[in-house]
Each structure stands twice: as structure tokens, then as C-alpha cells.
Amino acid sequence: MQRHARNAADEIIEAVGAVDAAVDTTAETDADTENETETESEARHRRAAERGDLASMSALGALLLRRGDLDGAEPFLRGATAEGDRAAANNLGVLLHQRGYAEEAAGWWRVAAVAGSAPAAHALGRHHRERGDEPAAEYWLRQAAEQGHALGAYALADLLEHRSDVGAERWLRAAAEQGHREAAYRLALALERRVTEPVRGPHDGGRGPHDTGSRLRVPGGAAVVAPAAPTAPAPGGVTDPTPPKSELTEAEQWFRQAAARGHRRAALHLGAILEKRGELKEAGRWYLSSAKEGEAKAACALGFLLRDAGDQESAAVWWLRAAQDGDGNAANALGALHAARGEQQTAERWYRAAMDAGDVNGAYNLGLLCAAQDRIPQAEQWYRRAAYAGHREAANALAVLLLQAGDANGAEPWFSKAAEAGSVDAAFNLGILHAGRDDDRTALVWYERAAAAGHTEAALQVGIAALRDGDERTAERHLRCAAGGGSAEAAFRLATVLDARRPDPGPAVLGAPREEKSECEEWYERAAQQGHRRAQVRVGMLAAGRGDLAEADRWYREAAEAGSRNGAFNLGLLLAREGSEREAALWWTRAARAGHGRAALRLALLAARRGELTEGRHWCARAVELGPAEVAERAARLSEALHQELTA
């Protein structure tokens, strides 16, 4: 505390020296004294002061005051003050304030301030503010600020900002322009806040240290989503939508100025801005600068930057430093790092450290860790603790556990709480819950809410519902969203919607140029590439229609090998046309055994041609059983003919 007070006093004294010429300025121009040491300067001023030189008395008093020699400084300052030196009056006030004589100090500051001393006006303003006299504080701080005193301008801005006065920014700017680093930082924050505040929120691009999300099957047939553990991002990120560039650019300039002057939080904030913009090298430089000054959040952010660059060992070093300084996010990151290595006990220790640091993600991550080890009671305990603290994804995860245990009524309030707090997964899960109760209307409301927030599976469900209701335009819009988000089923269904609109291509014309792939075929292919078997069959059919038999064979074969009976049947047709009847029979057999009636009929016809009448009747019976109707009818006629042949 004493050191802090001395530093504050030094700022005032230094300002006095610059503005009031408390130090003999002849030293700056006299060639004989240009390079003299402080000791020589003191000796010279002392000799002059003893001869009664007013400027030297004031300068010597200031020099001794800076050194902390209050007893030595006081007689010289009092002597100069008595002769009307305003710098000495200001410095005498500083000396008395350090000794605890606040009212007497204020008296001398008033004398100096009335005489035009900006530093004294600043000191007097601060004195009045400390005593709660804001009108007097504002008056004197304004006197200092209007004389161009940086500390006075900053203190005035702080007072006005405390009162939510719009004039605060003007004085922050004035102080910042004179090099006041804290003013520059706060001005940058004010500029950024003005344009981002309406859309600011938690940074959810997320620096999740690990993804332990899982999909859990529940009654109703859909998948309930237990999302991954979130961890807080490095502070200072700017959220979309992007505010006006001019104001953000100015804010960045002030952050940069403050950071360049050693302001560690400004360096942290500047690093976050640069990282978001993709300028990772410079971002890392500012994070490093801030971290070296003791900013734990910067050390944590630097760790994430290093991890993303593939240097986990260096990342761990900075996370450890940040975690030891109480950063919960870094502790979570260390927990995830050790969990990924299989070091569960160490991971648990760091998650607990994160929780102890006040980071609710620690409890949530402990729940995930226990759930991964099938320690369900402990997982529920940690999820519940995080959920009661307001962690929305913990509430969703707790609800999933309850639902798995058969407690749907207990799960629903937690799903609702999480959804109302903004959990997209919880909104989707509520849709599944209501769909399982055959309450399709309420389910659709929650699906729509989740879809509006970008949930892929929810968009698919909304699209399916719209198709069921005949609203093709709404269906297409949601299916496009879901397909764009990576849903193979959505891509397939979107392709079928577009496919239905295509005109009949008509008979192939010999020598006609090959048509370009349509949009619907591109969506079929996207679904097929993700392993969607029906899409693979359809892509094969479209390829065959274009005459690309090699492509058709590839997709039919891939679908068939994944268990598609249609794929196996179509592959058999393709092989039979190419003369590979034996291999075709193998695929038709696979398809028929999986319940494909047409494949059974083909096998029956093949057996009949070979004269294998009993085998033919066996497959006819299977085709009659499997259908469809026209296949069953043909198979029955063939079976009768084979029977007559056998009994002839």
C-alpha cells in the first residue's frame, strides 16, 4: 500500500516538474550541466538554494520528495512556497498527504491550483472525490483537464463515467492523446462497447478443450444429444455481426497504443482481436507480452494458440502458469489434456481446480469425465451441481441421464431450463421428448426453435414435417440448412424433392452429348459419400442412365456391401447385362434373402432356364411371399408352369 501511494505521488511530482518547472530548467540548456548526475544536480541546487535561489529551492524539494526524503524536502518546499512558488505549494501538498495530513495538503493544493497549477487542481479534485464531494471534485478536475493535464483528464473521465455522463469519452480521448495508457484502454473499450453491446454474448466459437459429445438412443427413435463441454474463450473476442469498421478500427488503434505502453489487459484484448482476424503470429506476440506481465487470461489464450498450432507441450506450460494464477479456463484445458492422455486422476484434479476458481465448466467437465467412466451417480452429481449454477449444457446432460434412467418427467424440467437458457441441443431434445409422446405439434415448436439456431438434426425434422404437410417450399429451405450442416438424410431428402421436379429425360439419343450432373444428383452424391445407402443406389441409377456403367457399378456395389438389398439387386442387373450371370446370381441371392421380391423372381427365372425346376419353385414361393403384387402374380404363374413341368 505504501509503495502504491508513493508511485501515485511520483506521478504528481513528475507532472509538476513538466508543467510548473519545479526543477531548474537551466539544466536542460546549460552545456556545463547537460550530463551531470543526480548527485551533482542535487549538490548544485543545494548550493543555489542556500543562497536563496527560489527555483533551486523548489527543484531540490521536489528531488528529495521523489527520493522519499520527506524531512529533507519539507524546509525547502515550505521556503519556496512562502515565496509564492506554485510548484512548491503543490509538492508540499503531496508531502503532507504522504504524512497523513490530508486537509492541510488540500489547503496547499488549493493555493497552487488557484495560481494555475494543473497538477494541484488534479490532486485537489481527487481529494474531494475521495471524500464524496463530487461537485467540488468535478470542478477542480475539469480545471486540470482543461489545462491539458493527462491525469486530470483521466480522473475527470472516470468521474463522469461513474455518473454515466456522455462527456466521459471526450476526456478519455484527451488523456489518451497525451499518452495515458489506461485512458487509451478504456477509450478503446468504450468505442467497442458502443457498437457491439447489443449483440455481445459469450464467445461460442468455443475453445472447448475436448469434445466428448455423445448421442444417446431413447424411446421415440431419434437421438438425444448430450453436447460437449464448453470452456470460456480468451476474453476480448468481438462477436458477429461485425460492427462498423471505422469505430472498431479506432478502438483497435487505442488498444494497440495502450498495449505498446505496457498495458497488459490491452495487450490481451488486442491479441484476441488479431486472433479472430486470423493474424495468429501477431496475436501470439501480444498474448505473450501480456502473459509475461502476469495476465493469466493471456497465458491461457496463448496456450490455446499454441495447442491449435500443434505444440501441446508449450501450451501446457502456459496453461499451467495461468491455472496456478487462478484461471479456471486454463485449469479446464489442463484437465482435458490429461483426460485425452488417459490420466484420469490428474484430469479430475484440474477440473476440481477449475471449479474452485469459480469456473462452472469444471463441474460440468467432471460430470463428463465420470460419465465416460460409467460412474453415472457421480456424473449426475456433478451435472446437477453445474446445472444449479446455471450451466445450460450441464442441465441438458443431466436431463439425458434422467431420461436414460426412465425418468422422463424428471428430465423435462431440466431440458426446458437448458433450452430457455439458450441450449440448442436441449431444444432439440425437447422436440424428441414430445415426439415420443405423439405430441407432434409441441415437438415441432421445439424443433423449429432449434433449427432457427442452426441445429442440423432439428432442421431435418422440420423439413420432414413440412414434407408431410405438403409445404414443399418450407421443406426445401430446412432440408437445405440440414444438408449444408452435414446431414446425409437431409441431403437425400432434398435430392428427392429436386428430383421430383426434373422433367422426364426421354429416350437416349445416340451420339448426344452427356448431360451435366443436375443439382439433385449432386445432393444424392453428397449423401452417398456419407454412406447413405438409398442415395448410393440412386446415384448408381442416375449414372447408369447416363451410360456410365463403371460409376453405376461402384455405387451399387458400395450400397450392396453395406447391406442395401436394392443395391444388391441393381448390381445383379448390371452384371447380368454385362454377361456376368454367375456373380449376378450371388447378389440377387443376397438381396432375396434380405427380403427383395424382384431378386427372388430373377433367381427363379434363372433356375428355370437352367432346368433347376425345384430350385425355381423355391424362389417363386419366396417371390410370392415378398411381393409386390405384380411380382407375386408373375411368380405364381411361373411356379404353376414349373409344377406342370415337374409333374408332366
Side-chain angles (χ1 to χ4, degrees):
M1 181 68 74
Q2 185 176 2
R3 181 181 299 174
H4 175 76
R6 179 167 295 177
N7 289 341
D10 285 347
E11 284 187 345
I12 298 171
I13 298 166
E14 289 167 3
V16 168
V19 177
D20 293 324
V23 179
D24 188 353
T25 56
T26 59
E28 299 175 5
T29 58
D30 189 343
D32 294 334
T33 61
E34 190 176 43
N35 297 316
E36 69 181 357
T37 64
E38 183 178 324
T39 302
E40 291 170 339
S41 176
E42 179 184 344
R44 179 170 56 81
H45 282 307
R46 189 178 295 277
R47 288 194 299 271
E50 289 172 353
R51 293 196 301 268
D53 184 86
L54 179 62
S56 289
M57 291 170 63
S58 181
L60 180 59
L63 188 152
L64 295 170
L65 180 58
R66 283 195 194 94
R67 189 187 297 163
D69 184 358
L70 304 189
D71 291 336
E74 185 171 358
F76 292 107
L77 292 176
R78 285 192 180 277
T81 299
E83 296 295 327
D85 186 279
R86 71 181 191 188
N90 173 70
N91 288 346
L92 180 58
V94 173
L95 185 148
L96 292 167
H97 189 269
Q98 286 191 5
R99 283 184 164 167
Y101 303 126
E103 294 305 322
E104 187 179 354
W108 288 113
W109 281 332
R110 181 180 297 275
V111 168
V114 169
S117 170
H122 163 238
L124 187 58
R126 287 177 55 178
H127 168 81
H128 283 298
R129 188 175 181 190
E130 287 171 2
R131 278 151 182 73
D133 188 352
E134 289 197 1
E138 181 179 351
Y139 174 82
W140 288 111
L141 291 175
R142 195 174 292 276
Q143 294 294 314
E146 289 176 349
Q147 292 181 63
H149 191 269
L151 294 174
Y154 175 73
L156 176 60
D158 186 69
L159 176 64
L160 295 175
E161 191 173 71
H162 175 70
R163 297 207 305 248
S164 301
D165 190 313
V166 293
E169 185 177 317
R170 171 196 169 191
W171 294 110
L172 277 178
R173 188 180 298 277
E177 287 172 348
Q178 295 178 69
H180 194 292
R181 68 182 190 182
E182 183 67 24
Y185 173 67
R186 287 177 62 173
L187 175 60
L189 288 178
L191 289 168
E192 185 182 68
R193 186 164 50 242
R194 187 165 64 232
V195 291
T196 62
E197 197 164 53
V199 294
R200 286 182 73 86
H203 189 317
D204 42 38
R207 290 183 173 278
H210 64 317
D211 185 351
T212 52
S214 57
R215 290 184 177 272
L216 309 167
R217 302 302 298 182
V218 295
V224 172
V225 179
T231 56
V238 179
T239 59
D240 290 328
T242 304
K245 287 185 178 179
S246 59
E247 293 194 319
L248 280 184
T249 299
E250 185 184 2
E252 182 182 335
Q253 289 169 350
W254 287 116
F255 280 131
R256 192 177 293 276
Q257 178 172 308
R261 291 178 175 272
H263 196 291
R264 68 188 193 187
R265 284 173 295 165
L268 166 65
H269 204 110
L270 179 59
I273 291 172
L274 292 165
E275 182 184 0
K276 184 173 180 64
R277 205 158 62 211
E279 298 176 24
L280 303 184
K281 186 173 183 179
E282 189 179 0
R285 183 166 66 84
W286 287 112
Y287 282 149
L288 179 61
S289 171
S290 180
K292 284 182 174 179
E293 291 297 319
E295 182 60 55
K297 293 184 187 306
C300 179
L302 181 58
F304 281 116
L305 211 59
L306 290 165
R307 180 203 66 178
D308 294 344
D311 188 354
Q312 273 201 345
E313 295 306 315
S314 296
V317 170
W318 287 105
W319 282 335
L320 178 61
R321 181 168 174 172
Q324 289 173 337
D325 286 340
D327 188 273
N329 195 11
N332 270 314
L334 283 171
L337 185 65
H338 288 287
R341 293 172 177 171
E343 300 165 357
Q344 306 299 331
Q345 289 185 338
T346 307
E348 185 170 337
R349 178 167 61 84
W350 282 114
Y351 286 148
R352 287 179 181 274
M355 190 174 60
D356 292 342
D359 190 329
V360 71
N361 283 307
Y364 178 44
N365 287 344
L366 278 167
L368 289 171
L369 191 68
C370 292
Q373 298 171 348
D374 291 326
R375 295 158 55 194
I376 303 304
Q378 293 93 330
E380 181 180 339
Q381 171 194 344
W382 292 117
Y383 285 150
R384 195 175 293 275
R385 179 165 178 172
Y388 275 120
H391 196 294
R392 65 192 188 192
E393 300 306 336
N396 177 59
L398 174 60
V400 169
L401 283 188
L402 294 171
L403 194 60
Q404 284 182 311
D407 186 3
N409 291 331
E412 185 175 356
W414 286 111
F415 277 140
S416 297
K417 183 175 182 179
E420 294 298 339
S423 171
V424 182
D425 288 333
F428 174 64
N429 289 343
L430 276 171
I432 294 170
L433 194 66
H434 287 287
R437 297 170 177 170
D438 295 325
D439 184 359
D440 292 338
R441 178 172 296 182
T442 306
L444 183 58
V445 169
W446 286 109
Y447 285 147
E448 287 175 338
R449 182 165 175 174
H455 195 287
T456 298
E457 294 299 318
L460 170 62
Q461 295 300 322
V462 176
I464 291 172
L467 282 177
R468 187 173 59 240
D469 295 340
D471 186 353
E472 192 174 286
R473 179 173 295 180
T474 300
E476 181 181 345
R477 178 164 56 87
H478 283 95
L479 289 174
R480 283 188 183 277
C481 290
S487 169
E489 181 65 24
F492 174 72
R493 287 178 180 264
L494 173 60
T496 59
V497 169
L498 299 173
D499 203 359
R501 297 176 188 165
R502 292 202 310 159
D504 188 344
V509 179
L510 187 63
R514 180 176 294 183
E515 293 183 4
E516 295 293 327
K517 290 181 182 179
S518 63
E519 185 188 5
C520 80
E521 189 169 356
E522 290 174 353
W523 283 113
Y524 278 134
E525 284 192 359
R526 182 178 294 194
Q529 288 162 357
Q530 293 176 256
H532 195 288
R533 292 183 298 181
R534 291 169 66 195
Q536 289 169 343
V537 173
R538 185 62 181 142
V539 172
M541 292 171 66
L542 291 170
R546 290 196 310 271
D548 190 348
L549 300 185
E551 182 78 354
D553 182 284
R554 180 171 76 87
W555 285 114
Y556 286 152
R557 195 174 295 275
E558 190 164 332
E561 288 174 349
S564 168
R565 61 191 186 188
N566 284 330
F569 175 70
N570 286 2
L571 179 58
L573 290 177
L574 197 65
L575 291 167
R577 288 186 194 129
E578 294 175 344
S580 302
E581 198 171 75
R582 184 181 297 275
E583 187 181 356
L586 294 175
W587 288 108
W588 283 335
T589 301
R590 180 182 291 195
R593 286 173 177 169
H596 199 288
R598 293 183 190 278
L601 180 58
R602 288 278 176 175
L603 287 168
L605 290 167
L606 194 62
R609 284 202 303 271
R610 291 173 178 170
E612 299 170 353
L613 305 185
T614 303
E615 179 76 5
R617 291 203 72 199
H618 164 73
W619 286 116
C620 282
R622 183 67 174 150
V624 168
E625 178 188 347
L626 296 173
E630 67 273 16
V631 170
E633 184 180 346
R634 288 181 62 192
R637 290 200 305 268
L638 178 60
S639 181
E640 180 62 26
L642 292 174
H643 175 68
Q644 292 176 3
E645 185 73 21
L646 283 168
T647 58

